[in-house]
Amino acid sequence: MKEILLHAPATTANVGPGYDIFALTLQNPNDEIRLQLNNFNKVTIELSGEDSDIPVNVNDNTAGLAVLEFLKRKNISQGVHIQIIKKMPSGCGLGTTGASAAACVFGLNKLLELNLPKNELIDIARLGEVASGGSPHADNVAAALLGGFILVKSYNPVDVLKLDMPEFPIVLAVMRKSQRTTRGFITYDIGEEKLKEQIAHCSSVINAIHTKDIEEFGKAITTDYVAEPIRGAAIPNYFETKKAILRAGAYGCNISGGGSSVFAVCDEKKQDEIAEIMKKSFSSNPNFICLVKTKMSNEGIREILKNAPFQYTCSQD
Ligand code: HSE
């Protein structure tokens, strides 16, 4: 039986102003995905680890949908067993559903020795996202697959650029959102002034990456007029806490993906102080799970030889 075991990293999508077009990869937390080819001619899903309340019905699961799409597009009839080993919580804006879909597509491409181009893998994996947020956005799956900072240059056709960055420190307050997705509340109606500013901030993000200026990067990711006003309003104490985080010297702060996790970019020496501010503000929220001190990662999904010792990668420290 052919099989592969994969490390599937968390990702933070949007990165401030880049709604559906920016994402970056995190060193932790992560999930693991084991993919096995078999002769049963159907796709099955098994879930283990934390947070195992995500759907195992193939059509309702991002990884299941991505595998079905892969087999359909390539006209392959092949039994596939997907084992999702959950080490990070779902529904927190950490891209765990995208990571599962991307890992399955990466794994199938490898096991079937198809050598498909990256944009095709991303285009297949993003269709898995329909199972979680109802929309085939490519940001999380691309970041999980490729690592680094992701710019989705085009959706039609899908064309993604990976930009390497210095692996800067990040602090995350991991919090669940109270509803499955908040995309439906976003109106996209921001007016001319804010639209111009949003475009300017996106451009500044890319410029800061090219000049390797993390302070400038932080400043540029701190403003978003599309999703942050809606999602921030659903996170108790979010706007005051963001101000306190920036006052304490973080370079930037915003909401991770669809929320409700909050992330800050800062110097390594500031990580403890920023984590403490987040803890004070958010830990009484029933949706708060933990704090994570991590780094951005230039590495995406990778094959591992055995499961890392079981550990919920979201720690309370
Ligand atoms: N770009 C997506 C959104 C990411 O904002 O809904 C979801 O994690």
Side-chain angles (χ1 to χ4, degrees), residues 49-101:
E50 296 290 332
D51 226 31
S52 34
D53 57 344
I54 59 173
V56 287
N57 183 321
V58 180
N59 284 295
D60 298 330
N61 181 293
T62 51
L65 270 191
V67 169
L68 291 176
E69 178 67 23
F70 191 112
L71 298 176
K72 189 173 95 191
R73 277 204 204 183
K74 295 291 139 196
N75 206 10
I76 295 170
S77 73
Q78 169 69 63
V80 181
H81 183 65
I82 308 164
Q83 191 190 358
I84 303 173
I85 304 150
K86 293 288 306 159
K87 294 183 161 193
M88 57 174 156
S90 51
C92 296
L94 297 179
T96 171
T97 53
S100 297

Side-chain angles (χ1 to χ4, degrees), residues 11-14 18-22 92-97 129 132-133 135 137-140 155 177 181-183 186 188 227 231 256-259:
T11 55
T12 182
N14 302 337
Y19 182 71
D20 279 1
I21 62 159
F22 288 168
C92 296
L94 297 179
T96 171
T97 53
E129 291 279 38
S132 76
S135 135
H137 55 92
D139 43 4
N140 291 110
Y155 264 95
K177 53 183 156 282
T181 171
T182 46
R183 291 181 72 89
I186 296 169
Y188 309 101
R231 288 169 170 163
S256 181

Side-chain angles (χ1 to χ4, degrees), residues 24-283:
L24 55 82
T25 313
L26 301 174
Q27 287 182 5
N28 69 306
N30 70 279
D31 288 334
E32 285 169 7
I33 303 288
R34 187 189 303 277
L35 215 58
Q36 293 169 327
L37 303 186
N38 58 43
N39 297 324
F40 305 127
N41 208 11
K42 65 179 206 185
V43 179
T44 47
I45 299 178
E46 175 190 347
L47 211 53
S48 62
E50 296 290 332
D51 226 31
S52 34
D53 57 344
I54 59 173
V56 287
N57 183 321
V58 180
N59 284 295
D60 298 330
N61 181 293
T62 51
L65 270 191
V67 169
L68 291 176
E69 178 67 23
F70 191 112
L71 298 176
K72 189 173 95 191
R73 277 204 204 183
K74 295 291 139 196
N75 206 10
I76 295 170
S77 73
Q78 169 69 63
V80 181
H81 183 65
I82 308 164
Q83 191 190 358
I84 303 173
I85 304 150
K86 293 288 306 159
K87 294 183 161 193
M88 57 174 156
S90 51
C92 296
L94 297 179
T96 171
T97 53
S100 297
C104 284
V105 167
F106 176 101
L108 274 184
N109 186 44
K110 222 161 174 187
L111 291 176
L112 298 168
E113 297 175 27
L114 295 178
N115 216 6
L116 300 179
K118 73 170 188 338
N119 283 336
E120 188 171 1
L121 297 178
I122 293 163
D123 196 34
I124 296 172
R126 78 188 178 104
L127 290 168
E129 291 279 38
V130 173
S132 76
S135 135
H137 55 92
D139 43 4
N140 291 110
V141 295
L145 201 67
L146 306 178
F149 181 94
I150 291 299
L151 164 63
V152 181
K153 289 198 295 179
S154 155
Y155 264 95
N156 192 15
V158 164
D159 187 5
V160 167
L161 185 67
K162 171 193 177 181
L163 299 168
D164 280 320
M165 290 187 76
E167 294 187 331
F168 54 81
I170 289 184
V171 186
L172 272 176
V174 178
M175 290 183 278
R176 238 181 259 282
K177 53 183 156 282
S178 30
Q179 58 277 88
R180 197 164 139 255
T181 171
T182 46
R183 291 181 72 89
F185 299 107
I186 296 169
T187 63
Y188 309 101
D189 186 11
I190 60 174
E192 184 186 342
E193 285 311 307
K194 288 183 175 164
L195 177 66
K196 283 190 280 192
E197 261 199 72
Q198 187 92 3
I199 296 169
H201 285 293
C202 285
S203 312
S204 301
V205 170
I206 300 302
N207 181 54
I209 294 171
H210 282 306
T211 54
K212 297 191 170 39
D213 186 338
I214 298 302
E215 271 190 71
E216 192 58 33
F217 177 79
K219 213 190 280 171
I221 64 156
T222 294
T223 307
D224 168 37
Y225 295 115
V226 175
E228 190 191 20
I230 310 286
R231 288 169 170 163
I235 305 171
N237 304 330
Y238 171 67
F239 292 105
E240 309 88 277
T241 310
K242 175 175 173 176
K243 274 193 198 138
I245 288 169
L246 294 171
R247 260 199 318 270
Y251 301 137
C253 175
N254 219 309
I255 297 168
S256 181
S260 288
S261 297
V262 173
F263 76 101
V265 173
C266 61
D267 192 273
E268 197 151 5
K269 293 195 283 287
K270 286 273 173 195
Q271 274 186 305
D272 288 340
E273 189 182 343
I274 306 289
E276 204 45 47
I277 295 172
M278 289 178 169
K279 191 171 177 180
K280 263 201 198 124
S281 295
F282 298 136
S283 60

